[in-house]
Amino acid sequence: MAAPKKPLLLILLILSDILVCRIHAEGVTKEEAKQLRDEVREMFYHAFDGYMTYAFPHDELKPLSCAGEDTLGGYALTLIDSLDTLALLGDRERFTTSVEWIGKNLRFDINKTVSLFETTIRVLGGLISAHLIASDYNTGMRIPSYDDELLHLAEDLARRMLPAFDTPTGIPFGSVNLMHGVDENESKANPLCILFTLLTCYSFSILITSTAGGGTLTLEFGVLSRLTNDPIFEQVTKNAVRGLWARRSRINLVGAHIDVFSGEWTQKDAGIGTSIDSFYEYLIKAYLLFGDEEYLFIFQEAYKAAMLYLFNDPWYVEVNMNSAALVWPLFNSLQAFWPGLQVLAGDIEPAIRTHAAFFSVWKRYGFTPEGFNLATFNVQHGQKSYPLRPELIESTYWLYKATRNPRFLDAGRDMLASLQYAARCTCGYCHISDVEFHQQEDHMESFFLAETVKYLWLLFDLAAGPDNLVENGPYKYIFSTEGHLLPMTPQISLASEHCSYLGAYCRNGSFILETYTSDITKDSTETNQSNFFSHPSFVQKSPASGLIKGFCPGLTHGQRYGISYVASDDNLENDSPSPSQVAVVQNSPILVVTDHNSDSLPSDVDKDPNNHRKPKEDDQTVEIETPQVVNETHEDARSQ
């Protein structure tokens, strides 16, 4: 893999940035942290009030012209996206008023075609998070008159999106009409697709979805299944993840875009940024929230491959998913979530180095451009904008939470100063269209209030002495990719029920059906641990086979979970790198790097005509060892 040019300049910039951080961060006292926290609160209300005054009930605010625009579905998107931020700030009055308005006025029976991904993470996630806060006395924000209105809306919205998953691969369409489902001209019934093959289908962009778009739905849909007792939402999103992972390359990399009908990759660039980023994020978060080991297994394999083939310390590059040949030596701003993910995985040291590299770009321009070329060490042509993205701030919060190193407070202070100086405008905060000249653009995405401001506020509140439901409340929280709060309550985090879902394959009669009881009346201080217990009286043995719900002993991981490996023609090419061609990552995270049985490799897979894994006749009973999390130093941050 070719190294980026100008390594000396790069190293000097990073080292000087670290030195400056260490000098100035000592000045961020507890009192100053309180002042910075209050400044972020004022920032939120400047933008929120601007939206409510000039844009509501449109989707988003145009902060320069003080007007509104509909960008997703025309249903008060920014208000929905801001609900749990209002709750986090302790604003009971506006949280209550907003929840009540949405419950009375929001409807989804509209003839609008919307993005499945954006609607899920912004609208569905916003409704579910706010419901969980508004309905629970333990949050301190319960609304007495609330009667599950947001949950009913969330369920209605999710059911309207279910037709998107009706594909041969299980990977969903990228868009869906909330009234009519998938457009008949863009569905599998389209005669043009049949007559003129896939080349014609490509003219309909809905047939191509990104890996992030198809693999970043599990948290919201999974929580909804737990709240409604309807498994369909969790099943379709898990199948989507399986569909993507089954089509990985031989070296466990996934591409950026895939055809949802044929399962062929239409863009084979593998990376951790644009079009792929949150696929990795939701694997580990689904495990942490649901206790589902299948997600952990996939994450471990995917993470190791990413660190082996994409990590060019301290940067990450894009490579061909089959050969690992370098495609782009590019830092794009969406990669900046990765150090925060590494905190969750317990891999702190590379996270710190990568954060320092990414932050050096911010220091250079005042913001991170959408693309920064690591070969020329300049902003990538055509990617000069900064649309108020939260990812670097998010990682700064997680690294401070894990290390309490004051350099991350200094980084947060610099980010806040940049936003206040260059992005603040008449009625809110503006996109920066050119980071080199700080030109403002008349647009403010809803995620600015859902994520960017939220993570900044959490950072300084943590340093000031936290007083919020995330740090001091009765639950631990998983943040969705949109920054929405999903609590690890017994109802949601069935931590003991790792294998209780449809799809476990049992080849014989040794099937154990496991049922769990819960004690949700225990003191709220115990809620951070699972209150689900198994008891001998609730464990029954019964003969069963095929696709069943339960735990199947004595099977390999692939047999146990039904994970199949689908080899494409490209994967059969002799272009996979040999171990001698790739440097081995020395710094291995405790959580994600474990010894796995060779059954996860394609060479050990017997495939039937449909490419589903089937057990060999001479398969031996294999004991599956559950990976253990033993990183005590960062236990609190990891478990969040």
Side-chain angles (χ1 to χ4, degrees):
M1 184 180 298
K5 297 179 180 178
K6 303 184 181 179
L8 180 59
L9 175 61
L10 168 63
I11 294 171
L12 289 176
L13 275 172
I14 295 175
L15 290 179
S16 64
D17 177 62
I18 293 174
L19 179 61
V20 171
C21 284
R22 286 177 176 172
I23 293 174
H24 288 285
E26 295 176 358
V28 181
T29 63
K30 186 174 182 178
E31 188 59 35
E32 184 180 1
K34 291 179 180 178
Q35 295 173 1
L36 293 170
R37 178 191 61 190
D38 293 342
E39 185 176 347
V40 176
R41 179 188 292 270
E42 188 278 332
M43 169 189 286
F44 171 83
Y45 282 111
H46 174 64
F48 182 79
D49 291 344
Y51 167 76
M52 295 301 295
T53 302
Y54 301 105
F56 175 78
H58 293 289
D59 282 338
E60 292 178 327
L61 171 69
K62 300 179 72 173
L64 275 176
S65 57
C66 297
E69 58 181 336
D70 289 330
T71 54
L72 189 60
Y75 34 58
L77 172 63
T78 297
L79 181 62
I80 298 171
D81 229 0
S82 303
L83 288 175
D84 59 359
T85 307
L86 287 169
L88 186 65
L89 295 175
D91 192 337
R92 177 184 297 275
E93 180 180 354
R94 298 195 199 197
F95 177 71
T96 299
T97 302
S98 300
V99 168
E100 289 177 345
W101 185 90
I102 291 171
K104 293 177 181 177
N105 296 279
L106 193 63
R107 296 293 180 271
F108 293 115
D109 53 343
I110 54 177
N111 187 16
K112 290 286 183 75
T113 299
V114 300
S115 162
L116 177 69
F117 170 74
E118 297 292 350
T119 304
T120 296
I121 67 172
R122 300 199 198 197
V123 183
L124 185 62
L127 292 172
I128 291 173
S129 178
H131 160 73
L132 290 166
I133 295 170
S135 60
D136 191 342
Y137 282 104
N138 292 322
T139 63
M141 297 295 291
R142 189 188 187 284
I143 300 173
S145 61
Y146 180 70
D147 191 24
D148 294 345
E149 291 89 351
L150 301 192
L151 178 60
H152 298 321
L153 285 168
E155 183 178 3
D156 176 56
L157 175 61
R159 292 197 186 281
R160 294 176 182 277
M161 293 192 288
L162 284 178
F165 295 88
D166 184 17
T167 67
T169 62
I171 304 168
F173 292 103
S175 302
V176 63
N177 186 285
L178 295 180
M179 185 173 288
H180 304 296
V182 177
D183 193 310
E184 63 179 5
N185 293 322
E186 298 166 328
S187 71
K188 60 177 179 284
N190 183 2
L192 292 177
C193 295
I194 299 173
L195 292 175
F196 301 112
T197 73
L198 291 173
L199 291 176
T200 304
C201 297
Y202 289 162
S203 65
F204 301 96
S205 61
I206 196 173
L207 295 178
I208 309 300
T209 192
S210 69
T211 299
T216 312
L217 310 166
T218 50
L219 293 188
E220 293 84 359
F221 276 74
V223 171
L224 187 62
S225 276
R226 311 297 172 103
L227 297 178
T228 61
N229 293 317
D230 188 339
I232 185 62
F233 306 113
E234 188 167 7
Q235 287 170 5
V236 295
T237 52
K238 174 171 283 189
N239 286 339
V241 172
R242 287 170 171 166
L244 289 165
W245 185 242
R247 290 163 177 83
R248 68 198 183 276
S249 70
R250 290 184 178 273
I251 55 176
N252 284 340
L253 293 177
V254 292
H257 291 93
I258 193 168
D259 186 296
V260 302
F261 269 70
S262 68
E264 294 294 323
W265 294 100
T266 60
Q267 184 178 351
K268 299 173 185 176
D269 300 348
I272 63 166
T274 304
S275 300
I276 304 178
D277 51 352
S278 48
F279 170 75
Y280 291 99
E281 178 186 2
Y282 268 37
L283 288 175
I284 189 169
K285 288 185 175 180
Y287 166 69
L288 293 173
L289 185 59
F290 302 135
D292 187 333
E293 292 176 6
E294 181 174 2
Y295 291 116
L296 175 61
F297 175 83
I298 297 174
F299 176 77
Q300 289 174 319
E301 299 299 297
Y303 182 85
K304 286 191 292 184
M307 296 302 288
L308 189 62
Y309 301 113
L310 308 179
F311 186 41
N312 194 356
D313 197 351
W315 306 94
Y316 289 81
V317 295
E318 295 184 10
V319 304
N320 179 276
M321 64 178 288
N322 296 312
S323 66
L326 180 65
V327 175
W328 290 108
L330 191 72
F331 159 60
N332 66 70
S333 60
L334 288 173
Q335 293 177 357
F337 87 101
W338 190 260
L341 175 142
Q342 291 181 304
V343 170
L344 296 180
D347 204 6
I348 305 297
E349 292 182 12
I352 292 173
R353 296 196 301 274
T354 295
H355 181 276
F358 292 173
F359 183 58
S360 70
V361 178
W362 182 291
K363 292 280 286 185
R364 182 173 179 177
Y365 299 106
F367 303 99
T368 48
E370 289 291 80
F372 182 77
N373 193 301
L374 300 177
T376 64
F377 216 62
N378 287 303
V379 176
Q380 180 73 7
H381 179 71
Q383 298 184 32
K384 296 183 176 182
S385 66
Y386 169 69
L388 304 176
R389 291 203 185 278
E391 284 77 15
L392 187 58
I393 298 172
E394 175 186 1
S395 287
T396 303
Y397 162 69
W398 283 114
L399 278 165
Y400 179 71
K401 187 177 177 69
T403 67
R404 294 303 196 272
N405 190 322
R407 61 183 283 197
F408 298 112
L409 291 178
D410 186 69
R413 180 171 56 183
D414 283 355
M415 295 173 191
L416 174 58
S418 294
L419 289 167
Q420 292 285 58
Y421 175 76
R424 190 179 179 104
C425 49
T426 311
C427 303
Y429 287 81
C430 291
H431 281 200
I432 302 299
S433 60
D434 189 326
V435 298
E436 294 180 304
F437 299 99
H438 288 183
Q439 296 174 347
Q440 293 184 340
E441 182 180 336
D442 195 14
H443 189 55
M444 187 183 81
E445 295 261 14
S446 66
F447 61 65
F448 178 70
L449 296 178
E451 298 181 83
T452 309
V453 175
K454 180 182 289 170
Y455 286 119
L456 262 181
W457 189 87
L458 282 168
L459 171 68
F460 295 123
D461 189 60
L462 187 60
D467 183 20
N468 63 74
L469 61 87
V470 169
E471 307 294 348
N472 296 349
Y475 312 122
K476 293 183 182 295
Y477 283 86
I478 294 296
F479 290 79
S480 75
T481 196
E482 187 73 6
H484 292 308
L485 308 178
L486 302 175
M488 299 173 69
T489 63
Q491 183 183 15
I492 294 171
S493 293
L494 305 180
S496 299
E497 209 168 4
H498 290 175
C499 308
S500 61
Y501 45 83
L502 294 173
Y505 181 85
C506 285
R507 55 179 173 160
N508 52 43
S510 58
F511 165 65
I512 301 176
L513 177 64
E514 296 189 85
T515 308
Y516 297 93
T517 59
S518 64
D519 180 7
I520 59 176
T521 62
K522 289 186 177 293
D523 185 83
S524 61
T525 59
E526 298 179 9
T527 314
N528 287 333
Q529 291 80 35
S530 170
N531 285 331
F532 284 77
F533 305 97
S534 60
H535 188 275
S537 63
F538 292 103
V539 178
Q540 304 172 3
K541 292 185 178 181
S542 60
S545 62
L547 290 178
I548 52 180
K549 183 176 181 180
F551 171 72
C552 309
L555 300 181
T556 64
H557 182 92
Q559 295 162 343
R560 181 177 176 183
Y561 292 125
I563 296 177
S564 57
Y565 177 90
V566 180
S568 65
D569 293 338
D570 293 318
N571 291 338
L572 299 178
E573 298 174 3
N574 187 23
D575 57 1
S576 298
S578 65
S580 62
Q581 293 176 306
V582 184
V584 177
V585 179
Q586 298 296 324
N587 183 29
S588 298
I590 295 176
L591 170 62
V592 297
V593 177
T594 58
D595 290 332
H596 294 291
N597 296 321
S598 61
D599 70 286
S600 64
L601 300 176
S603 59
D604 290 335
V605 177
D606 287 347
K607 294 180 284 292
D608 64 13
N610 295 319
N611 288 316
H612 292 294
R613 182 185 174 100
K614 58 183 180 182
K616 300 178 182 179
E617 294 298 327
D618 59 348
D619 268 350
Q620 301 296 315
T621 298
V622 178
E623 191 72 26
I624 302 296
E625 180 179 352
T626 302
Q628 298 297 315
V629 179
V630 295
N631 189 339
E632 297 179 358
T633 303
H634 307 294
E635 173 66 22
D636 181 61
R638 181 203 57 73
S639 62
Q640 290 283 332

